[in-house]
Amino acid sequence: MNLWPMVLAGGTVGAGTALLVREVLLGAQPALAPALERQAPAGLSMPAPVLGREEVWGRWLLARLQRLPGVTIPVTNLALLGQGPGHFVLKKVALAAIGLLCPVLVTIPWIVAGVSLPLYVPAVVGLVVAGLLFLTPDLAVRDAARRAREEFAHAVSAYLDLVALKRAADAGPTQALEKAAQVGRGWPFLLVQGALRRARLEKIPPYQALAELAAEYDLPVLDDVADIMRGSATDGAAVYKALKARTAALNAELLADQAAEANAASEKMAAPGALLAVLVMLLMAFPAVIRMLTV
């Protein structure tokens, strides 16, 4: 029997499974490119970014897939993660193609072994698998964006504390926001630094730049900072109390979310443990049951 079809089919299925596991389990980290682009002065002409080959092909596919109903692109989440829409669409199409080919390749060993299958079986299975794999990047991007927003919320909690300390030291509203943002080196602080630098160059209030940043990337926790700092010109002590109160409330929300996530993870571990216990009981009772049936 020729084993090459079986080897090729197994290798293709294994490669597709590995790609699927990688896309689902390994979330993309937020890129720093959007934050670094904001740091450029507004009056300077920046060169157009050089798009990679995958991004160019993906945008070509996107221009044609947008005509189909039901095809949506999570633009806000992709911008937060620093990913291009073209690369995202190319990934979706590649996974869908793998889903169409896998059932066909899996049936090759059956055909080699002489087992005949109806033609509609691999076709239907291929369409179902292709549809599921086509939706996989959306789920992966949504999960990665959720984790990025959680990380940003933790950074904003520390940022609120720093702004409150600067205001308590009689720093001005703009000075407090800028000096507090310069303390951090993570990507959330880089985003805030870029927004505040743009506000200074464009001569707009810093809280307006923070509100625009929150709307651009769907960061509701940053809206709280902008809302509080709108009233910072009247009474510094009141703003300090408002900042400390919002920090305490945000920390309580983050702790509650972490506790809920831990409880959900614990509940998920209960089912495998119960199944393992049932399997052990069946394994222990199997010899006695066989002996009773054979007597």
Side-chain angles (χ1 to χ4, degrees):
M1 180 184 298
N2 190 5
L3 296 179
W4 279 109
M6 300 180 64
V7 173
L8 292 176
T12 305
V13 174
T17 304
L19 179 61
L20 176 61
V21 171
R22 177 183 178 275
E23 295 298 330
V24 173
L25 297 182
L26 299 181
Q29 294 295 327
L32 300 181
L36 295 177
E37 290 176 359
R38 285 189 178 83
Q39 297 182 7
L44 298 180
S45 59
M46 299 298 294
V50 179
L51 300 178
R53 183 172 55 185
E54 295 180 355
E55 183 68 20
V56 173
W57 291 351
R59 294 193 178 188
W60 180 83
L61 290 172
L62 177 60
R64 284 147 182 82
L65 290 178
Q66 282 181 338
R67 306 171 185 174
L68 301 177
V71 178
T72 58
I73 305 299
V75 180
T76 304
N77 291 340
L78 290 175
L80 178 63
L81 298 175
Q83 300 180 13
H87 186 270
F88 175 75
V89 172
L90 184 63
K91 187 186 301 181
K92 288 171 67 71
V93 173
L95 288 175
I98 292 175
L100 286 174
L101 292 177
C102 280
V104 177
L105 296 176
V106 169
T107 56
I108 292 178
W110 295 81
I111 297 175
V112 173
V115 178
S116 60
L117 292 175
L119 295 178
Y120 65 85
V121 173
V124 172
V125 174
L127 291 175
V128 173
V129 175
L132 294 176
L133 293 182
F134 187 79
L135 298 176
T136 300
D138 295 87
L139 302 177
V141 168
R142 184 179 63 183
D143 185 65
R146 178 185 59 81
R147 293 197 301 267
R149 289 188 176 93
E150 290 179 357
E151 182 180 353
F152 191 88
H154 285 280
V156 168
S157 175
Y159 180 62
L160 285 170
D161 266 332
L162 294 173
V163 174
L165 291 175
K166 296 297 182 181
R167 289 293 291 159
D170 293 332
T174 302
Q175 186 180 12
L177 290 172
E178 291 180 352
K179 285 189 175 182
Q182 292 172 1
V183 174
R185 292 294 180 266
W187 68 269
F189 283 90
L190 289 179
L191 285 178
V192 175
Q193 291 172 17
L196 296 176
R197 184 175 291 107
R198 181 175 62 85
R200 186 172 64 252
L201 294 174
E202 297 180 0
K203 306 300 181 181
I204 61 176
Y207 57 80
Q208 179 181 344
L210 294 179
E212 293 175 357
L213 179 63
E216 181 180 358
Y217 291 114
D218 190 16
L219 301 170
V221 293
L222 197 58
D223 275 329
D224 299 332
V225 184
D227 293 338
I228 294 173
M229 297 309 294
R230 279 191 180 95
S232 60
T234 57
D235 191 355
V239 171
Y240 172 79
K241 293 179 180 179
L243 289 171
K244 296 300 291 184
R246 185 63 187 105
T247 302
L250 181 57
N251 289 335
E253 293 175 5
L254 294 175
L255 289 176
D257 292 340
Q258 290 178 350
E261 187 176 354
N263 292 333
S266 300
E267 293 177 358
K268 291 179 181 179
M269 292 299 296
L275 180 60
L276 181 61
V278 171
L279 291 177
V280 171
M281 293 175 61
L282 292 177
L283 183 62
M284 295 175 62
F286 181 77
V289 173
I290 292 298
R291 187 176 304 169
M292 292 173 60
L293 294 177
T294 55
V295 172

